[in-house]
Amino acid sequence: MLSYTYLIGSLCLFLIWSVIFILRKELRQEMLIMGFIGGFVSLMMGALVWTKDWWKPPTLTGTSIGIEDFLAGFAIVGVSAVIYQVIFSKQVTLTKKPDYKNVKLFIIILAFTIILSNYLWLTKKVHSSILWLTILIPVITMYFMRRDLIWPSFFTGIVITMGIIPIYLFMYYLEPTLFTEWWMNENLTGITFLRIPIEDILWFFTAGLFTCPMYKFLAGEYIAYLPAQ
């Protein structure tokens, strides 16, 4: 049976992205760059990893991955990159001070993390639903190099997690059998919050942690706080 639930959920995320994109012209470049990265990574990870041992929601095209995966990745990453600036637009500003040595080191550590993640998954030491733990390696690296990014990163992780929960609940309303039909529950812990697998919640939180500071770190953009008015 063809289900449009995943598409509707992805469009809800894209709608949030679109509203911010329309209202905040100065953030459009960052939202587009990070959005396309997120969309293509979502397609790649969905095809090669997530649909193998985590979940496999029905797509509009009936294929293992679809436009839903791109839209969801595009919107989540695009919004995560800028949501801190959107909420605290009157309190923060950006200054640019590129640090190429730190960027090179970060890229090396990120490459190591990707290799480690692939090794752990391909050797079946962990399921893909646990790979969010490896993302903490580059996140902590950025924290050591750029302390101005720690709070925005945590804040974004919390906001993205809280924002995704209503969308999951809406999808459950549309299709109450999601949990048994979409997820490969034999590979999950079975722990849920509001019927949402804890693995999904932790993944979104970690995605926010990582995505928020990444663009600013690579671009050498420092967050500065304006004096109280």
Side-chain angles (χ1 to χ4, degrees), residues 49-117:
V49 181
W50 294 331
T51 56
K52 307 301 182 185
D53 66 0
W54 188 346
W55 79 332
K56 198 169 186 178
T59 62
L60 185 64
T61 55
T63 51
S64 61
I65 59 170
I67 185 62
E68 299 91 339
D69 297 279
F70 180 84
L71 285 174
F74 183 92
I76 291 167
V77 174
V79 171
S80 296
V82 301
I83 194 64
Y84 185 79
Q85 291 161 261
V86 171
I87 295 175
F88 294 102
S89 59
K90 295 182 179 179
Q91 287 82 35
V92 302
T93 186
L94 296 177
T95 58
K96 196 157 187 175
K97 295 183 290 183
D99 189 339
Y100 299 112
K101 288 184 180 179
N102 278 348
V103 169
K104 288 178 182 178
L105 177 58
F106 173 77
I107 292 174
I108 293 172
I109 292 173
L110 182 61
F112 165 78
T113 301
I114 294 171
I115 293 170
L116 175 64
S117 298

Side-chain angles (χ1 to χ4, degrees), residues 35-213:
F36 277 110
I37 291 174
F40 285 115
V41 168
S42 179
L43 285 175
M44 181 180 66
M45 291 296 291
L48 301 177
V49 181
W50 294 331
T51 56
K52 307 301 182 185
D53 66 0
W54 188 346
W55 79 332
K56 198 169 186 178
T59 62
L60 185 64
T61 55
T63 51
S64 61
I65 59 170
I67 185 62
E68 299 91 339
D69 297 279
F70 180 84
L71 285 174
F74 183 92
I76 291 167
V77 174
V79 171
S80 296
V82 301
I83 194 64
Y84 185 79
Q85 291 161 261
V86 171
I87 295 175
F88 294 102
S89 59
K90 295 182 179 179
Q91 287 82 35
V92 302
T93 186
L94 296 177
T95 58
K96 196 157 187 175
K97 295 183 290 183
D99 189 339
Y100 299 112
K101 288 184 180 179
N102 278 348
V103 169
K104 288 178 182 178
L105 177 58
F106 173 77
I107 292 174
I108 293 172
I109 292 173
L110 182 61
F112 165 78
T113 301
I114 294 171
I115 293 170
L116 175 64
S117 298
N118 279 279
Y119 169 77
L120 291 174
W121 186 74
L122 290 172
T123 56
K124 301 187 184 301
K125 296 185 183 298
V126 298
H127 296 299
S128 61
S129 59
I130 306 297
L131 290 179
W132 61 268
L133 283 167
T134 61
I135 300 175
L136 296 178
I137 298 173
V139 168
I140 293 172
T141 299
M142 283 190 283
Y143 289 172
F144 273 107
M145 295 178 178
R146 292 280 307 277
R147 295 190 178 184
D148 63 302
L149 296 175
I150 295 177
W151 166 241
S153 172
F154 268 94
F155 179 84
T156 300
I158 294 169
V159 169
I160 293 300
T161 305
M162 292 176 63
I164 204 70
I165 289 175
I167 295 176
Y168 267 75
L169 296 179
F170 180 54
M171 291 194 297
Y172 268 121
Y173 172 77
L174 296 174
E175 194 169 340
T177 57
L178 283 190
F179 188 71
T180 55
E181 294 185 4
W182 287 23
W183 282 274
M184 301 175 197
N185 294 297
E186 67 276 9
N187 297 331
L188 304 181
T189 61
I191 301 171
T192 63
F193 176 73
L194 298 175
R195 295 190 294 168
I196 306 169
I198 193 66
E199 289 84 356
D200 285 56
I201 293 174
L202 290 172
W203 185 89
F204 283 110
F205 177 70
T206 310
L209 287 183
F210 178 69
T211 305
C212 167

Side-chain angles (χ1 to χ4, degrees), residues 1-60:
M1 179 179 177
L2 182 62
S3 170
Y4 298 99
T5 304
Y6 187 25
L7 177 62
I8 293 170
S10 299
L11 288 173
C12 287
L13 290 168
F14 185 71
L15 177 62
I16 297 171
W17 182 95
S18 300
V19 170
I20 297 173
F21 186 81
I22 292 170
L23 295 178
R24 298 298 298 272
K25 294 181 180 180
E26 77 279 12
L27 300 176
R28 289 178 181 175
Q29 176 177 308
E30 185 172 352
M31 292 181 71
L32 285 170
I33 292 174
M34 295 302 294
F36 277 110
I37 291 174
F40 285 115
V41 168
S42 179
L43 285 175
M44 181 180 66
M45 291 296 291
L48 301 177
V49 181
W50 294 331
T51 56
K52 307 301 182 185
D53 66 0
W54 188 346
W55 79 332
K56 198 169 186 178
T59 62
L60 185 64

